[in-house]
Amino acid sequence: MALGRLLILVLTLLPRHFVSRIGGVIANLPVPRPLRAPTYRLYCRIFGAMAEEAQLPLSEYASINAFFTRSLKPGLRPITPGALVSPVDGTVGAYGIVTDDMVVQAKGRHYS
């Protein structure tokens, strides 16, 4: 099992709201410029992201969150007209049936 998938499995066993808050704090911490490229290469190795697709050099992303939400190089992933797309690369962690205009999805919360 890939390390990223194992990490995701472990995280599903922990309290989601707490983990989300702690993860957000960590992801927004500034990464010192000399450590940015090695940090994001490690992130890519763990989670399967492709650093070469990033629009900017790795040293330009001040935090893990900035790298995670990076823009990609123009034209890398063209969208076919009428296609169903997702704004992220990821794994489906939850899904549900829409009832009364509500669905239970991410982190056990209800969304309209």
Side-chain angles (χ1 to χ4, degrees):
M1 179 180 290
L3 182 58
R5 290 192 186 273
L6 180 61
L7 179 59
I8 291 169
L9 176 64
V10 169
L11 291 175
T12 62
L13 302 174
L14 299 173
R16 291 179 181 175
H17 298 291
F18 174 74
V19 170
S20 182
R21 297 261 185 221
I22 296 301
V25 168
I26 292 169
N28 285 307
L29 291 174
V31 176
R33 190 172 288 275
L35 298 178
R36 289 177 184 174
T39 297
Y40 304 140
R41 278 199 221 56
L42 177 62
Y43 176 94
C44 289
R45 199 170 340 157
I46 291 171
F47 295 104
M50 292 183 259
E52 65 276 4
E53 292 184 346
Q55 187 171 28
L56 303 174
L58 296 181
S59 61
E60 296 300 311
Y61 298 100
S63 67
I64 292 173
N65 190 43
F67 178 72
F68 180 75
T69 59
R70 71 198 176 282
S71 293
L72 301 179
K73 291 177 182 172
L76 253 176
R77 298 186 187 173
I79 299 172
T80 303
L84 179 63
V85 298
S86 172
V88 299
D89 294 330
T91 302
V92 175
Y95 61 90
I97 297 171
V98 177
T99 305
D100 295 327
D101 208 22
M102 299 290 287
V103 65
V104 177
Q105 267 190 329
K107 302 172 189 165
R109 294 194 179 201
H110 296 268
Y111 294 90
S112 62

